[in-house]
Amino acid sequence: MGEEYLEKELLIKGIEINYLYVCKTKLWYFVRGITMEQESDFVDLGKFLHEKSYFGEEKEIQIGSIKIDFIKKSDIIEVHEVKRGKQMEKAHIMQALYYIYYLNNLGIKAKAILHYPKLKEIKEIELKESDKEEINRAIREIEHIKSLKEPPEPIYQKICKNCAYYELCFI
Amino acid sequence: MRKKSLTLLSDGYLFRKENTIYFENARGKKPLAIEGIYDIYIYGKVSISSQALHYLAQKGIAVHFFNHYGYYDGSFYPRESLHSGYLVVNQVEHYLDKNKRLELAKLFVIGGIKNMEWNLLKFKNKTKFKNYIEELNNCNKITEVMNVEGRVRAEYYNLWDETLPDGFKIIKRTRKPPKNEMNALISFLNSRLYPAIITELYNTQLTPTVSYLHEPHERRFSLALDLSEIFKPMIADRLANRLVKQGIIQKKHFREELNGVLLNEDGMKLVLEHLNREMDKTVQHPKLKKNVSKRRLIRLEAYKLVKHLVGQKKYEPLVAWF
Ligand code: SF4
């Protein structure tokens, strides 16, 4: 699991996994740099992990919307994410699973916890064998969408109304 | 909060103190709510501190400058924050490929022509420019397209002229300097519209310097010139028409200078007030099924261009339905 592996995996961002499950049109535009909103609240986890100095310290770090707790003793990292609602739950779960998968590949044990403060719920997420397969499939599909010459046709769904791409998609 | 364009007509000083931008003039110092500013249009003699510019750049607010005569001088265009190398490549590819370029150039002109027709209809003239559109379809060169565009426009001005009140006839379109009131009014409005289009382009990933109808070296933001084909009749001409027919703008709002005619200060003020209001006016958009401002229509036009360039949907120029 050398640097080379890390560089390759860095090509897929957590937000891309998320978008894959939200909308493929959005994903296509996003990976072509055609963005509609500042996606500043997403962590460049890869870059962050390069900073090896963080490891081994008991620290809680907040970057954008993702809070990562490093728990030294048990050597497990907790990825915490606070979400507003469950409308896009699948996308949230897959994004969280991807982070765990990613950390696992670096030899780091991890789990994720999704917080839904409005619903007063939390959800613990662990990576199972079957999840790994799904993530692999997702990565392949993202690569496929990235390679498409034209964006997938937008298909109207409920979330479109509040999507920053709405005008671009339906004009 | 709905963001608004800020127009500064009086002389003064624009500076930053902590996280606030102030405008100070003879009447005093006024804080400006930066979160509510979309872009800034400066007509007065205004000094700006570099700190203020830093802050405006950080907030992505473009500042457009106009000279003593009310004509556009240039823009402070913050370092671009939205990048898409992919779109730049596609934009350039559509410029280099002769057929792709011609197609877009014609579409801009067709959009302009249809909006001129629609205006004439509103001014109670039913002339259609169908022959010109046919002629356009047979053009093989940009210069030919430009030529058709020029001839349509000349005829359009003539027909429009028939409906304009005495004293406000265009007679012949003159620009630098405009020779009479109507020419001055049209030029002034176009001069304000152009940077408004620049602001919209700034808020997309489009590169404003790569254009199709106009040559990219013609002006720095030549893509804004392309889009202005559609918005000049739709916004500027219609407003000019209304202002003189309703007697809002009168002879007293002009002055003579440099062998030409220009709006005076009161005139500029009035026109800008009406234009700002016009840009914020909303219309129900049939496709998006929601209200959009006239200003937003410019952005939507840019989005349509993006979709054309990435191969999602052929560009269809906006023709006013309102
Ligand atoms: S508006 Fe709808 S189709 Fe378009 S990107 Fe958003 S979710 Fe996808």
Side-chain angles (χ1 to χ4, degrees), chain B residues 1-9 30 32-43 61-64 66 192-193 195-200 203 272-273 275-280 293-296 298:
Chain B
M1 182 172 15
R2 188 109 144 275
K3 291 186 179 187
K4 294 214 171 221
S5 292
L6 176 73
T7 307
L8 298 177
L9 275 159
K30 210 174 119 190
L32 306 173
I34 196 140
E35 305 301 337
I37 301 174
Y38 192 66
D39 52 1
I40 303 179
Y41 297 80
I42 297 185
Y43 286 83
I61 297 171
V63 189
H64 307 296
F66 297 80
R192 166 64 175 71
L193 185 61
I197 299 174
I198 293 174
T199 295
E200 293 310 320
N203 284 296
L272 289 171
E273 252 175 53
L275 182 71
N276 282 333
R277 231 181 285 154
E278 185 67 22
M279 295 289 256
D280 285 334
S293 66
K294 303 247 169 106
R295 183 172 70 181
R296 193 69 181 177
I298 303 172

Side-chain angles (χ1 to χ4, degrees), chain A:
Chain A
M1 222 82 64
E3 290 292 303
E4 194 190 317
Y5 179 81
L6 211 145
E7 296 297 339
K8 251 190 211 155
E9 283 297 295
L10 277 181
L11 291 175
I12 304 284
K13 294 182 190 149
I15 189 173
E16 292 171 8
I17 300 273
N18 182 309
Y19 281 3
L20 178 73
Y21 290 91
V22 171
C23 172
K24 298 193 167 90
T25 312
K26 187 168 173 163
L27 174 64
W28 190 92
Y29 275 115
F30 177 81
V31 298
R32 301 286 164 139
I34 299 166
T35 53
M36 291 286 147
E37 51 205 327
Q38 298 322 75
E39 64 283 348
S40 56
D41 56 344
F42 284 93
V43 187
D44 192 340
L45 193 60
K47 204 158 120 204
F48 180 67
L49 288 174
H50 268 299
E51 317 267 338
K52 300 251 163 52
S53 60
Y54 283 117
F55 290 89
E57 270 177 55
E58 198 159 337
K59 221 168 191 175
E60 191 183 72
I61 289 152
Q62 170 97 43
I63 315 162
S65 66
I66 298 170
K67 190 155 78 179
I68 301 168
D69 293 334
F70 293 93
I71 298 164
K72 196 181 165 192
K73 274 182 212 127
S74 60
D75 209 19
I76 254 200
I77 285 178
E78 282 184 10
V79 179
H80 289 253
E81 282 205 64
V82 181
K83 299 292 184 190
R84 259 178 298 169
K86 281 195 166 176
Q87 209 177 18
M88 298 180 217
E89 195 185 10
K90 175 78 178 171
H92 298 155
I93 292 171
M94 290 311 298
Q95 188 176 2
L97 284 173
Y98 176 68
Y99 285 137
I100 304 172
Y101 168 91
Y102 190 98
L103 291 165
N104 283 354
N105 279 339
L106 293 171
I108 300 155
K109 281 190 207 142
K111 66 177 179 182
I113 293 150
L114 295 177
H115 298 254
Y116 295 95
K118 274 194 187 158
L119 308 167
K120 294 200 174 69
E121 271 182 47
I122 61 165
K123 192 176 176 96
E124 247 194 75
I125 290 167
E126 279 175 63
L127 187 75
K128 293 192 284 294
E129 269 316 302
S130 56
D131 297 327
K132 282 186 197 164
E133 275 163 40
E134 183 157 2
I135 285 170
N136 277 319
R137 263 203 309 281
I139 290 173
R140 279 199 303 276
E141 201 176 346
I142 290 170
E143 269 156 9
H144 170 69
I145 290 169
K146 279 187 180 179
S147 73
L148 292 177
K149 263 202 81 198
E150 286 158 22
E153 252 326 289
I155 298 162
Y156 188 84
Q157 42 176 336
K158 247 203 198 144
I159 55 162
C160 292
K161 243 185 274 167
N162 296 316
C163 175
Y165 287 78
Y166 174 75
E167 290 176 320
L168 178 70
C169 284
F170 297 103
I171 184 66

Side-chain angles (χ1 to χ4, degrees), chain A residues 25 28-29 32-36 38 148-154 164 166-171, chain B residues 81-84 86-87 205 285 287-290 292 296 300 303-304 306-307 310-313:
Chain A
T25 312
W28 190 92
Y29 275 115
R32 301 286 164 139
I34 299 166
T35 53
M36 291 286 147
Q38 298 322 75
L148 292 177
K149 263 202 81 198
E150 286 158 22
E153 252 326 289
Y166 174 75
E167 290 176 320
L168 178 70
C169 284
F170 297 103
I171 184 66
Chain B
S81 61
L82 304 168
H83 287 290
S84 169
Y86 178 78
L87 195 61
Q205 279 85 11
H285 199 287
K287 264 210 196 114
L288 298 178
K289 304 205 172 20
K290 64 170 188 176
V292 294
R296 193 69 181 177
L300 296 177
Y303 288 161
K304 278 152 73 177
V306 170
K307 289 173 85 166
V310 303
Q312 187 169 41
K313 196 173 173 191

Side-chain angles (χ1 to χ4, degrees), chain B residues 59-92:
Chain B
K59 298 279 172 184
I61 297 171
V63 189
H64 307 296
F65 296 92
F66 297 80
N67 66 17
H68 174 62
Y69 307 107
Y71 293 127
Y72 175 68
D73 257 347
S75 299
F76 168 70
Y77 192 80
R79 185 167 47 86
E80 290 174 72
S81 61
L82 304 168
H83 287 290
S84 169
Y86 178 78
L87 195 61
V88 178
V89 169
N90 280 26
Q91 243 186 290
V92 172

Side-chain angles (χ1 to χ4, degrees), chain B residues 149-160:
Chain B
E149 195 271 334
R151 281 184 289 129
V152 175
R153 197 168 285 275
E155 193 177 334
Y156 161 74
Y157 285 130
N158 275 333
L159 295 165
W160 179 11

